[in-house]
Amino acid sequence: DLRKSRYKNFDELYLYCYYVAGTVGLMSVPVMGIAMDSQATTESVYGAALALGIANQLTNIFRDVGE
């Protein structure tokens, strides 16, 4: 945030979101765990956690644009 505040395209913005929030989603999986009776694959759980982290960061950015 200190070095760059504008992005040329969505791919650049996505990469930023991955670094700042996607990784937080990924790190939360071992903390929260996966239910023993879950039918989901480990890969799909981590994919969902990554997507949730990125979506949360995009939501934060969209909210800031209005301000």
Side-chain angles (χ1 to χ4, degrees):
D1 292 355
L2 297 175
R3 296 182 192 173
K4 190 172 184 174
S5 62
R6 295 187 180 269
Y7 299 89
K8 294 178 186 177
N9 54 45
F10 185 78
D11 289 339
E12 279 191 9
L13 180 61
Y14 181 91
L15 188 58
Y16 166 77
C17 292
Y18 172 82
Y19 287 134
V20 301
T23 52
V24 174
L26 294 174
M27 291 186 298
S28 68
V29 173
V31 173
M32 291 188 277
I34 302 171
M36 296 295 267
D37 60 346
S38 174
Q39 298 294 319
T41 65
T42 302
E43 183 178 343
S44 69
V45 170
Y46 276 94
L50 175 61
L52 181 59
I54 292 169
N56 283 331
Q57 185 62 34
L58 286 170
T59 300
N60 287 337
I61 292 168
F62 293 146
R63 186 191 63 216
D64 292 343
V65 168
E67 294 177 5

